[in-house]
Amino acid sequence: MPRRRLLRGGKLDHVRSASEIEAPGTIVNLRRGPDRKPWLFGADEIHIPANDGIENYETCNPVVRRWLNRVVRAIASPEVRLPLMLHCTSGKDRTGVATAALLSTLSIDRELIVEEYLLSDGEVRRESIEHALDGLGDAREYFAEADLAALQRRFLQE
């Protein structure tokens, strides 16, 4: 994947300038509460909160599956400006699972997806993201309602 297409992180409350977060064109907020508008720095905002009462690594759970499909369908929209930043509070759980799901739709090698996840701040476990990836199964089936060809064109072409 070309550099700077996909970014991820934690909450943006501490950010003072767009350059600190690589000046995203679109920010996808996965946490429950909305971002503070001044922190968007001209980026478009998409808010798709995950259910706090559900373990998001359980991607076979129908609630998680619906949430991840909403995320991927939203990202596939031609209106989404790149670079795209996915974020939640800590940048590892909701964001890690959503990033892994997106990367799986792009046919990124599973080991690279796991290695990317392990770069997260804080305590992370290989088994957690592997479990999430196992639950996704075949991304084409899991995300059958999303335009995966459009995603691949946007994220993978130079």
Side-chain angles (χ1 to χ4, degrees):
M1 177 178 346
R3 289 177 41 83
R4 295 193 63 248
R5 295 281 166 95
L6 178 61
L7 313 165
R8 74 176 177 105
K11 61 184 170 183
L12 305 178
D13 298 350
H14 67 286
V15 177
R16 299 273 182 248
S17 73
S19 63
E20 289 179 45
I21 54 172
E22 301 288 327
T26 305
I27 297 173
V28 179
N29 175 5
L30 303 172
R31 66 185 184 164
R32 202 167 173 165
D35 282 324
R36 296 180 187 168
K37 297 297 180 186
W39 303 122
L40 296 180
F41 307 108
D44 296 329
E45 177 187 29
I46 300 172
H47 187 205
I48 307 174
N51 186 324
D52 282 343
I54 303 282
E55 177 56 64
N56 293 302
Y57 293 98
E58 295 293 333
T59 54
C60 56
N61 181 312
V63 174
V64 175
R65 185 178 185 140
R66 280 192 298 277
W67 168 70
L68 283 173
N69 270 274
R70 283 184 56 215
V71 171
V72 169
R73 281 195 315 271
I75 293 169
S77 169
E79 291 83 32
V80 169
R81 295 184 300 138
L82 301 179
L84 174 80
M85 173 175 241
L86 293 170
H87 88 91
C88 60
T89 302
S90 68
K92 64 178 181 178
D93 296 319
R94 283 173 260 191
T95 301
V97 170
T99 300
L102 177 60
L103 293 174
S104 73
T105 69
L106 301 175
S107 300
I108 302 297
D109 181 71
R110 180 184 172 109
E111 189 56 33
L112 285 175
I113 296 171
V114 171
E115 291 303 318
E116 190 282 332
Y117 170 78
L118 293 174
L119 295 173
S120 302
D121 285 339
E123 183 180 334
V124 292
R125 294 179 33 235
R126 172 181 288 273
E127 298 80 21
S128 296
I129 201 64
E130 287 177 342
H131 178 70
L133 289 167
D134 290 343
L136 294 176
D138 181 350
R140 292 170 305 202
E141 289 179 23
Y142 194 94
F143 298 106
E145 296 176 16
D147 187 349
L148 300 186
L151 272 176
Q152 290 178 347
R153 282 191 302 276
R154 296 191 68 228
F155 281 89
L156 298 177
Q157 292 179 356
E158 292 288 342

